[in-house]
């Protein structure tokens, strides 16, 4: 079952930041972060606004209850139709597919590991982002 940000329990709280979209950010995109821990609740988090910071602190746009996360651990943003993740100087690092990253694309099917929490990114690239082929 899909869960919106308003459906998240106390351990994962949304505090959507009122940040003006960057010039390279595209409007509405829906990203699902599917937690790989089968006991996690919820197993799926839907992110619809960018940029958004993930972390354990009250100032994070998406708060995750994981003691290994920094208060503001990493930032997700949509740049030219591709989800990007940027580490915000976290103590334990941000990993994509097992590789530590400072900033990187997060493609559909990639695993994002922050703290002890492992997510798989699920989203479709928007038709708006792909130039139409002319016949």
């Amino acid at each position: 079952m899909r869960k919106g940000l308003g459906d998240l329990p106390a351990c994962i709280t949304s505090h959507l930041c009122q940040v003006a979209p960057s010039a390279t950010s595209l409007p509405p995109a829906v990203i699902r972060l599917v937690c790989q821990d089968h006991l996690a609740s919820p197993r799926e988090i839907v992110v619809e606004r960018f940029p958004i910071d993930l972390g354990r602190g009250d100032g994070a746009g998406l708060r995750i209850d994981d003691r290994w996360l920094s208060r503001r651990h990493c930032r997700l943003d949509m740049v030219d139709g591709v989800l990007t993740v940027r580490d915000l100087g976290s103590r334990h690092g941000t990993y994509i597919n097992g590789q530590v990253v400072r900033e990187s694309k997060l493609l559909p099917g990639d695993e994002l590991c922050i703290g002890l929490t492992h997510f798989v990114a699920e989203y479709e690239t928007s038709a708006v982002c792909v130039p139409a082929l002319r016949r």
Side-chain angles (χ1 to χ4, degrees):
M1 177 170 74
R2 289 180 57 167
K3 297 219 179 234
L5 290 174
D7 300 329
L8 298 176
C11 69
I12 301 176
T13 310
S14 172
H15 303 282
L16 292 177
C17 302
Q18 298 298 321
V19 178
S22 66
T24 57
S25 292
L26 294 174
V30 177
I31 307 301
R32 291 192 327 249
L33 297 176
V34 181
C35 187
Q36 298 305 288
D37 180 356
H38 297 288
L39 299 177
S41 177
R43 291 265 337 268
E44 187 175 291
I45 298 169
V46 176
V47 182
E48 298 174 322
R49 292 191 181 186
F50 301 97
I52 190 166
D53 292 350
L54 282 64
R56 66 176 169 80
D58 291 335
L62 184 59
R63 189 169 168 220
I64 301 171
D65 187 20
D66 179 337
R67 68 176 184 238
W68 291 92
L69 290 182
S70 296
R71 287 177 184 92
R72 287 182 53 243
H73 196 95
C74 65
R75 175 172 292 151
L76 295 179
D77 201 358
M78 185 63 64
V79 179
D80 297 329
V82 177
L83 184 63
T84 61
V85 63
R86 180 168 34 120
D87 186 83
L88 298 175
S90 67
R91 175 175 239 172
H92 298 291
T94 298
Y95 295 80
I96 296 179
N97 299 326
Q99 300 294 314
V100 67
V101 298
R102 284 182 155 197
E103 185 167 2
S104 179
K105 294 178 182 177
L106 184 63
L107 300 173
D110 282 351
E111 182 180 46
L112 170 65
C113 299
I114 52 175
L116 300 175
T117 307
H118 298 243
F119 295 104
V120 171
E122 293 183 359
Y123 66 99
E124 294 182 22
T125 54
S126 171
V128 174
C129 307
V130 180
L133 297 175
R134 294 186 181 182
R135 295 181 185 194

